[in-house]
PDB file of all heavy atoms in Angstrom:
ATOM      1  N   GLN S1745      -4.508  -4.219 -11.885  1.00 88.00           N
ATOM      2  CA  GLN S1745      -5.353  -5.403 -12.043  1.00 88.00           C
ATOM      3  C   GLN S1745      -4.665  -6.452 -12.910  1.00 88.00           C
ATOM      4  O   GLN S1745      -4.755  -7.654 -12.642  1.00 88.00           O
ATOM      5  CB  GLN S1745      -6.690  -5.014 -12.666  1.00 88.00           C
ATOM      6  CG  GLN S1745      -7.686  -6.174 -12.751  1.00 88.00           C
ATOM      7  CD  GLN S1745      -8.059  -6.715 -11.386  1.00 88.00           C
ATOM      8  OE1 GLN S1745      -8.612  -6.002 -10.555  1.00 88.00           O
ATOM      9  NE2 GLN S1745      -7.753  -7.984 -11.127  1.00 88.00           N
ATOM     10  N   ARG S1746      -3.959  -5.996 -13.930  1.00 88.00           N
ATOM     11  CA  ARG S1746      -3.247  -6.936 -14.800  1.00 88.00           C
ATOM     12  C   ARG S1746      -2.172  -7.688 -14.018  1.00 88.00           C
ATOM     13  O   ARG S1746      -1.985  -8.896 -14.186  1.00 88.00           O
ATOM     14  CB  ARG S1746      -2.605  -6.167 -15.965  1.00 88.00           C
ATOM     15  CG  ARG S1746      -1.981  -7.043 -17.034  1.00 88.00           C
ATOM     16  CD  ARG S1746      -1.370  -6.204 -18.132  1.00 88.00           C
ATOM     17  NE  ARG S1746      -2.354  -5.338 -18.773  1.00 88.00           N
ATOM     18  CZ  ARG S1746      -2.045  -4.434 -19.705  1.00 88.00           C
ATOM     19  NH1 ARG S1746      -0.787  -4.289 -20.083  1.00 88.00           N
ATOM     20  NH2 ARG S1746      -2.980  -3.690 -20.242  1.00 88.00           N
ATOM     21  N   PHE S1747      -1.471  -6.961 -13.135  1.00 93.00           N
ATOM     22  CA  PHE S1747      -0.436  -7.606 -12.332  1.00 93.00           C
ATOM     23  C   PHE S1747      -1.045  -8.588 -11.337  1.00 93.00           C
ATOM     24  O   PHE S1747      -0.540  -9.705 -11.159  1.00 93.00           O
ATOM     25  CB  PHE S1747       0.383  -6.543 -11.604  1.00 93.00           C
ATOM     26  CG  PHE S1747       1.500  -7.112 -10.767  1.00 93.00           C
ATOM     27  CD1 PHE S1747       2.592  -7.718 -11.370  1.00 93.00           C
ATOM     28  CD2 PHE S1747       1.447  -7.054  -9.386  1.00 93.00           C
ATOM     29  CE1 PHE S1747       3.624  -8.257 -10.603  1.00 93.00           C
ATOM     30  CE2 PHE S1747       2.466  -7.580  -8.613  1.00 93.00           C
ATOM     31  CZ  PHE S1747       3.555  -8.179  -9.222  1.00 93.00           C
ATOM     32  N   ILE S1748      -2.152  -8.179 -10.680  1.00 93.00           N
ATOM     33  CA  ILE S1748      -2.836  -9.069  -9.740  1.00 93.00           C
ATOM     34  C   ILE S1748      -3.287 -10.340 -10.456  1.00 93.00           C
ATOM     35  O   ILE S1748      -3.137 -11.456  -9.948  1.00 93.00           O
ATOM     36  CB  ILE S1748      -4.054  -8.366  -9.110  1.00 93.00           C
ATOM     37  CG1 ILE S1748      -3.623  -7.163  -8.286  1.00 93.00           C
ATOM     38  CG2 ILE S1748      -4.862  -9.351  -8.261  1.00 93.00           C
ATOM     39  CD1 ILE S1748      -2.795  -7.478  -7.095  1.00 93.00           C
ATOM     40  N   ASP S1749      -3.834 -10.184 -11.650  1.00 92.00           N
ATOM     41  CA  ASP S1749      -4.280 -11.343 -12.419  1.00 92.00           C
ATOM     42  C   ASP S1749      -3.115 -12.286 -12.731  1.00 92.00           C
ATOM     43  O   ASP S1749      -3.272 -13.509 -12.695  1.00 92.00           O
ATOM     44  CB  ASP S1749      -4.941 -10.899 -13.729  1.00 92.00           C
ATOM     45  CG  ASP S1749      -6.291 -10.233 -13.498  1.00 92.00           C
ATOM     46  OD1 ASP S1749      -6.858 -10.409 -12.406  1.00 92.00           O
ATOM     47  OD2 ASP S1749      -6.769  -9.539 -14.415  1.00 92.00           O
ATOM     48  N   SER S1750      -1.956 -11.696 -13.029  1.00 92.00           N
ATOM     49  CA  SER S1750      -0.800 -12.544 -13.356  1.00 92.00           C
ATOM     50  C   SER S1750      -0.325 -13.321 -12.131  1.00 92.00           C
ATOM     51  O   SER S1750       0.060 -14.490 -12.236  1.00 92.00           O
ATOM     52  CB  SER S1750       0.344 -11.693 -13.929  1.00 92.00           C
ATOM     53  OG  SER S1750       0.974 -10.937 -12.911  1.00 92.00           O
ATOM     54  N   LEU S1751      -0.360 -12.686 -10.959  1.00 91.00           N
ATOM     55  CA  LEU S1751       0.040 -13.385  -9.739  1.00 91.00           C
ATOM     56  C   LEU S1751      -0.938 -14.495  -9.396  1.00 91.00           C
ATOM     57  O   LEU S1751      -0.562 -15.545  -8.881  1.00 91.00           O
ATOM     58  CB  LEU S1751       0.103 -12.404  -8.563  1.00 91.00           C
ATOM     59  CG  LEU S1751       1.213 -11.361  -8.552  1.00 91.00           C
ATOM     60  CD1 LEU S1751       1.110 -10.511  -7.294  1.00 91.00           C
ATOM     61  CD2 LEU S1751       2.590 -12.001  -8.640  1.00 91.00           C
ATOM     62  N   ALA S1752      -2.212 -14.239  -9.697  1.00 83.00           N
ATOM     63  CA  ALA S1752      -3.260 -15.192  -9.319  1.00 83.00           C
ATOM     64  C   ALA S1752      -3.517 -16.245 -10.379  1.00 83.00           C
ATOM     65  O   ALA S1752      -4.409 -17.082 -10.196  1.00 83.00           O
ATOM     66  CB  ALA S1752      -4.552 -14.434  -9.019  1.00 83.00           C
ATOM     67  N   ALA S1753      -2.762 -16.241 -11.474  1.00 73.00           N
ATOM     68  CA  ALA S1753      -3.031 -17.169 -12.573  1.00 73.00           C
ATOM     69  C   ALA S1753      -3.100 -18.630 -12.118  1.00 73.00           C
ATOM     70  O   ALA S1753      -4.039 -19.349 -12.462  1.00 73.00           O
ATOM     71  CB  ALA S1753      -1.991 -16.994 -13.670  1.00 73.00           C
ATOM     72  N   GLN S1756      -6.345 -19.060 -10.290  1.00 46.00           N
ATOM     73  CA  GLN S1756      -7.500 -19.037 -11.185  1.00 46.00           C
ATOM     74  C   GLN S1756      -7.657 -20.380 -11.881  1.00 46.00           C
ATOM     75  O   GLN S1756      -8.764 -20.855 -12.111  1.00 46.00           O
ATOM     76  CB  GLN S1756      -7.329 -17.917 -12.206  1.00 46.00           C
ATOM     77  CG  GLN S1756      -7.486 -16.531 -11.596  1.00 46.00           C
ATOM     78  CD  GLN S1756      -7.170 -15.435 -12.584  1.00 46.00           C
ATOM     79  OE1 GLN S1756      -6.179 -15.499 -13.313  1.00 46.00           O
ATOM     80  NE2 GLN S1756      -8.000 -14.425 -12.623  1.00 46.00           N
ATOM     81  N   SER S1762      -9.396 -13.746  -8.819  1.00 42.00           N
ATOM     82  CA  SER S1762      -8.305 -12.828  -8.521  1.00 42.00           C
ATOM     83  C   SER S1762      -8.812 -11.509  -7.967  1.00 42.00           C
ATOM     84  O   SER S1762      -8.053 -10.600  -7.728  1.00 42.00           O
ATOM     85  CB  SER S1762      -7.468 -12.547  -9.784  1.00 42.00           C
ATOM     86  OG  SER S1762      -8.263 -11.868 -10.738  1.00 42.00           O
TER      87      SER S1762
END
Side-chain angles (χ1 to χ4, degrees):
Q1745 185 62 61
R1746 187 180 301 175
F1747 181 68
I1748 297 295
D1749 290 342
S1750 74
L1751 290 181
Q1756 289 174 315
S1762 65

